[in-house]
Amino acid sequence: MARCETETEYVVPPTPTCVGEFSREWLKYVMDDWFAKNDIKTESVDIVNFSAALNSLQGLLSTTYIVNIYFTVNNTDEQHKSIFLKVPLTGPGATNFKAVNVREHSMLGQVL
């Protein structure tokens, strides 16, 4: 569990590690900041459909996906958003790249 600025506890859904693990709950969690930046209340969003696929160009340090999300806001016209998702390696394959993943995480969080 995590706490946000208002000290409310919330559950962070687990990050998918394969195409079959994507869920509406996780997508709404990930898209929350984007919705807020676009003046959309997450509570008013209904994810109608989504599809996830492995990106055709995989790197050594992570698994990447392309996720297409179809949603409505307050039951209005359907909208579409496509996101690129990068999931760091886990398990035995990740141990060889741990230092690189730490640097990459820092770069993505602080530089970009």
Side-chain angles (χ1 to χ4, degrees):
M1 278 202 218
R3 291 187 185 272
C4 63
E5 294 173 7
T6 59
E7 293 298 317
T8 303
E9 288 187 8
Y10 59 96
V11 176
V12 178
T15 301
T17 58
C18 67
V19 171
E21 291 181 357
F22 284 87
S23 68
R24 285 174 170 78
E25 175 191 24
W26 186 84
L27 291 170
K28 279 182 92 169
Y29 173 79
V30 168
M31 294 291 293
D32 186 62
D33 282 346
W34 185 84
F35 291 139
K37 288 177 187 174
N38 288 279
D39 296 322
I40 299 171
K41 292 182 180 178
T42 305
E43 307 83 44
S44 65
V45 173
D46 180 30
I47 296 180
V48 179
N49 198 4
F50 66 91
S51 62
L54 282 170
N55 184 28
S56 59
L57 299 172
Q58 294 293 322
L60 293 174
L61 303 176
S62 60
T63 304
T64 56
Y65 302 91
I66 302 295
V67 184
N68 291 299
I69 306 164
Y70 301 88
F71 63 95
T72 59
V73 179
N74 293 322
N75 297 317
T76 58
D77 293 335
E78 187 174 279
Q79 299 180 46
H80 172 251
K81 179 76 176 157
S82 184
I83 62 173
F84 175 82
L85 174 68
K86 189 173 187 173
V87 178
L89 292 177
T90 57
T95 55
N96 294 336
F97 297 107
K98 183 171 176 54
V100 178
N101 277 336
V102 169
R103 284 195 314 268
E104 185 178 68
H105 182 269
S106 175
M107 181 188 74
L108 289 172
Q110 298 172 9
V111 177
L112 300 177

